[in-house]
Amino acid sequence: MQKKIIIIDFGSQYTQLIGRRVRELNVYSEIHPYNKLPEFDEAVKGVILSGSPFSVLDQKAPQFDFDLMKGKIPLLGVCYGAQYMSHTFGGNVAPSNTREYGRANLNFVDNSNVLMKGVSLNSQVWMSHGDTINTIPDNFQLVASTQDVKVAAFQLKNEQTFGIQFHPEVYHSTDGLQLLKNFIVDVCACEQSWTPDAFAETTIEKLKKQIGNDKVVLGLSGGVDSTVSAMLLHNAIGKNLYCIFVDNGLLRKNEFESVLDQYKYLGLNIKGVDAKDRFLSALAGESDPETKRKAIGRVFIEVFDDEAHAVKDVKWLGQGTIYPDVIESVSATGGPSATIKSHHNVGGLPDFMKLSVVEPLRLLFKDEVRRVGASLGLSKDLLGRHPFPGPGLAIRILGDITGEKVRILQEVDAIFINGLKADGLYDEVWQAGAILLPVQSVGVMGDERTYEQAVALRAVSSTDGMTADWSHLPYEFLAKVSNQIINKVKGVNRVVYDISSKPPATIEWE
């Protein structure tokens, strides 16, 4: 029986990061909504309560029954989870006088407490809350504080029940992983045995049971997610996997041909489908980002429906959906977190498409997907490829889509990406691309005035796509690439570089 940590989701955008941190410690975790709890059997070694966009003082705040686990299973409340714990058992939670958001430092740490072992005095923690815990119940003991937040961490006396006001799961909490390890390994007594190899083995066995002798149609894009999904399915069902690579007219320059060549050595059964005209026709005249995404999703499904009919008795549609896709589209667990944007491969299928969906990577982040791919023997070149959005260049062309705009952006993108590779910068960047702006600007070439397109270059560093910082590319490189773009791409006379981080900006512009 797989031992695991259960994470109860109250709707925080950080909930999946908790799961990711637990898995970094090689411990299996599952995320469940607060209103749809799992069975707490002997496989559950501990429970973590997430943060939430709600206040515990709200009438509609998520409610939770502690009797199911308190005193029976180790329990850790994070932010909202800690506030709800204190509020429920007699402490005082009230709105903060000032907003407590961002970096803070611990000025008191009880290192004799098992939760705080190895957590340094003055270590940085990440706060993100509008309420604060003014007092804790009498049978709770304080184990950490910051200058502005006295109750930064506590434990229920003589019980393996803990609460922390900050977020240990985010990168900015410098000793956050140590704290989580203290809880998961020392308190919950979990064995650190859940590895990429173990995930691959477990997933392949699960796919065999789930699919049996049925046939699966899978869309390949050449990217990491769909490739790793394909290899997991290939190892599970072999020849019953039918891979399809669709040219939607919005791929990078020469990508259709190069991706088909790339898969030859993997032994996959793959078919290339030219659907450029179909996609561009559906996008004609559309400028709204959500409308464009949904149009691409609709045609994507229609193309797959056509191709599925060419495979006799196909019953499943495989997809490379990963956690960030799900989080930004809907709450990953049915909780109350907000939708940021739609993803074409997230959600149900239309009634006319009589296929079930199988998503082997739905619970993994990008870095985890790469580790699983490495365990399957995929090459470093393939696994190191930058993420590329499902809707392709359609969401990097701001405004309406035309064939000429696609041509311009493909040329610009090729110069930028090839330049990164030539200068040894590609692997230092998590994702890069170019954006065609819906503006023209005045320029001068020779003795003539020009009035042509402006493009933005975007490159970010990240580990999981949930947060990202702009990459500090050398000025000399940017100057060289800008010069090449303006001289070689007809229709462009201005290049700018995007220096915004996520948040507040997203990685893509649409």
Side-chain angles (χ1 to χ4, degrees):
M1 184 178 294
Q2 178 72 61
K3 305 299 183 183
K4 57 192 173 186
I5 296 293
I6 295 294
I7 300 160
I8 306 300
D9 180 20
F10 292 105
S12 170
Q13 291 289 339
Y14 291 149
T15 301
Q16 281 68 18
L17 287 181
I18 301 175
R20 179 173 171 268
R21 296 300 184 208
V22 175
R23 294 195 292 267
E24 281 183 7
L25 293 167
N26 295 330
V27 175
Y28 178 64
S29 64
E30 292 180 0
I31 298 173
H32 294 269
Y34 72 93
N35 53 2
K36 193 175 181 182
L37 299 177
E39 180 182 353
F40 292 97
D41 55 26
E42 61 183 20
V44 179
K45 303 293 287 182
V47 175
I48 299 176
L49 308 179
S50 83
S52 176
F54 288 92
S55 163
V56 297
L57 305 175
D58 292 344
Q59 288 186 348
K60 295 183 179 180
Q63 301 296 309
F64 176 73
D65 184 5
F66 280 103
D67 290 341
L68 292 171
M69 63 196 69
K70 182 180 171 296
K72 305 170 187 175
I73 305 172
L75 185 63
L76 174 65
V78 175
C79 196
Y80 177 90
Q83 293 173 356
Y84 189 70
M85 192 182 295
S86 180
H87 178 70
T88 300
F89 297 110
N92 177 262
V93 177
S96 305
N97 292 327
T98 58
R99 189 180 182 198
E100 295 169 347
Y101 182 86
R103 295 171 177 84
N105 295 92
L106 298 177
N107 64 2
F108 163 68
V109 180
D110 180 0
N111 290 127
S112 67
N113 185 273
V114 63
L115 187 70
M116 307 308 293
K117 183 184 68 175
V119 176
S120 304
L121 186 66
N122 295 319
S123 64
Q124 180 177 281
V125 295
W126 188 259
M127 298 287 185
S128 181
H129 55 269
D131 293 341
T132 195
I133 302 171
N134 288 326
T135 60
I136 53 178
D138 293 339
N139 58 338
F140 283 47
Q141 65 185 67
L142 187 69
V143 297
S145 303
T146 71
Q147 181 176 344
D148 297 323
V149 181
K150 180 181 178 181
V151 184
F154 58 78
Q155 180 183 2
L156 179 58
K157 294 176 182 177
N158 302 316
E159 192 173 295
Q160 292 180 322
T161 298
F162 305 85
I164 50 176
Q165 182 61 84
F166 53 91
H167 287 270
E169 69 273 21
V170 303
Y171 172 79
H172 306 289
S173 290
T174 53
D175 286 338
L177 195 61
Q178 176 65 49
L179 185 150
L180 289 172
K181 182 180 179 182
N182 292 342
F183 177 72
I184 291 163
V185 177
D186 296 342
V187 176
C188 301
C190 289
E191 294 182 4
Q192 294 177 275
S193 59
W194 192 75
T195 63
D197 285 338
F199 173 85
E201 182 180 344
T202 301
T203 301
I204 290 167
E205 288 304 312
K206 188 182 296 184
L207 290 170
K208 287 179 180 178
K209 293 177 181 177
Q210 181 182 10
I211 298 169
N213 293 320
D214 293 345
K215 295 178 181 177
V216 178
V217 176
L218 172 74
L220 282 174
S221 67
V224 176
D225 305 335
S226 66
T227 302
V228 175
S229 292
M231 292 308 296
L232 288 168
L233 285 162
H234 178 68
N235 278 281
I237 63 173
K239 63 181 181 177
N240 281 344
L241 174 65
Y242 294 78
C243 297
I244 297 168
F245 179 48
V246 176
D247 185 357
N248 60 10
L250 302 162
L251 303 174
R252 284 179 158 142
K253 185 178 179 181
N254 300 326
E255 190 166 24
F256 185 59
E257 295 78 12
S258 64
V259 166
L260 289 176
D261 289 340
Q262 183 181 45
Y263 284 117
K264 286 181 180 178
Y265 76 94
L266 293 178
L268 297 175
N269 176 20
I270 183 169
K271 177 183 178 182
V273 179
D274 183 351
K276 293 191 292 288
D277 293 342
R278 196 164 172 177
F279 280 88
L280 292 176
S281 176
L283 288 166
E286 299 293 352
S287 299
D288 178 73
E290 280 295 285
T291 302
K292 289 194 291 185
R293 283 177 176 272
K294 289 174 180 176
I296 291 168
R298 173 178 54 80
V299 178
F300 181 81
I301 293 295
E302 290 172 356
V303 169
F304 263 82
D305 188 52
D306 291 344
E307 295 304 321
H309 278 97
V311 180
K312 186 178 180 182
D313 298 326
V314 66
K315 293 184 179 180
W316 297 85
L317 173 66
Q319 294 192 148
T321 310
I322 63 174
Y323 247 151
D325 299 337
V326 177
I327 297 163
E328 290 189 335
S329 297
V330 291
S331 169
T333 58
S337 55
T339 298
I340 296 173
K341 58 189 176 184
S342 298
H343 286 265
H344 78 284
N345 60 337
V346 177
L349 296 176
D351 291 339
F352 69 80
M353 194 172 188
K354 306 300 182 183
L355 296 178
S356 299
V357 175
V358 57
E359 299 168 313
L361 305 175
R362 188 178 178 88
L363 298 181
L364 296 188
F365 287 86
K366 180 71 73 174
D367 56 320
E368 295 175 314
V369 174
R370 288 192 169 107
R371 290 199 292 271
V372 170
S375 76
L376 293 170
L378 294 174
S379 69
K380 290 183 179 179
D381 287 343
L382 195 155
L383 294 176
R385 186 179 180 188
H386 289 178
F388 187 67
L393 299 181
I395 60 171
R396 293 181 178 176
I397 297 173
L398 307 193
D400 66 319
I401 311 295
T402 66
E404 176 63 8
K405 289 180 179 180
V406 172
R407 180 200 67 79
I408 290 173
L409 190 55
Q410 284 178 331
E411 296 291 340
V412 171
D413 179 84
I415 291 172
F416 185 32
I417 298 300
N418 290 337
L420 288 169
K421 292 178 178 177
D423 282 37
L425 297 169
Y426 185 83
D427 290 336
E428 296 180 16
V429 172
W430 192 77
Q431 184 171 348
I435 299 93
L436 185 64
L437 304 180
V439 296
Q440 292 180 302
S441 67
V442 173
V444 58
M445 292 184 178
D447 293 325
E448 295 185 3
R449 175 185 184 275
T450 62
Y451 192 59
E452 295 181 332
Q453 300 289 150
V455 296
L457 305 182
R458 177 79 157 139
V460 299
S461 58
S462 182
T463 56
D464 50 39
M466 294 300 297
T467 60
D469 198 6
W470 61 278
S471 296
H472 294 238
L473 298 177
Y475 292 151
E476 295 79 9
F477 169 78
L478 291 173
K480 179 174 64 176
V481 167
S482 173
N483 183 263
Q484 289 176 346
I485 291 170
I486 291 171
N487 282 321
K488 294 182 179 181
V489 183
K490 184 179 180 180
V492 175
N493 70 353
R494 189 175 300 272
V495 177
V496 300
Y497 187 55
D498 182 349
I499 59 170
S500 51
S501 297
K502 176 185 180 181
T506 53
I507 295 175
E508 300 294 342
W509 280 40
E510 289 192 343

